Amino acid sequence: MHSIALAQTGAAETAWARAQALAALRTAVEALDDVRASLAVLTSDTDWHSDGVRAMQSALEDLRLGARLEASEMRSRESEAERIDVL
């Protein structure tokens, strides 16, 4: 009778330890799911910002090239104006 009581006590402790481990694992899984969801949002935000920065850089480069072309045209017009004889 004594060995049966010890076996039942051991089983209860094992069941309790298992329940605690499962609860801790479920908590960890929920935390990881929350982190994963947050990372998905950050990834999306980062893509948008990266795309926005790339688009802005491209637009600025286009503007820089356009200004360079306009400056070249203005230099040509300046040169033409300098060649005009004024009597």
Side-chain angles (χ1 to χ4, degrees):
M1 182 180 200
H2 190 42
S3 63
I4 293 172
L6 287 176
Q8 288 175 344
T9 302
E13 289 175 2
T14 301
W16 179 250
R18 179 179 178 265
Q20 286 182 318
L22 286 172
L25 288 169
R26 286 184 186 119
T27 300
V29 167
E30 288 173 6
L32 289 169
D33 284 342
D34 289 345
V35 168
R36 189 173 51 84
S38 295
L39 288 172
V41 170
L42 287 174
T43 300
S44 176
D45 287 349
T46 301
D47 285 344
W48 180 85
H49 289 297
S50 293
D51 289 342
V53 169
R54 278 192 290 275
M56 183 179 66
Q57 287 173 333
S58 178
L60 288 171
E61 181 64 15
D62 290 344
L63 287 171
R64 187 185 71 79
L65 291 174
R68 188 170 119 190
L69 289 172
E70 287 300 323
S72 177
E73 286 293 322
M74 290 304 108
R75 281 189 204 91
S76 293
R77 297 303 158 266
E78 181 184 26
S79 180
E80 288 174 6
E82 288 174 349
R83 288 190 301 248
I84 296 174
D85 285 327
V86 178
L87 298 174

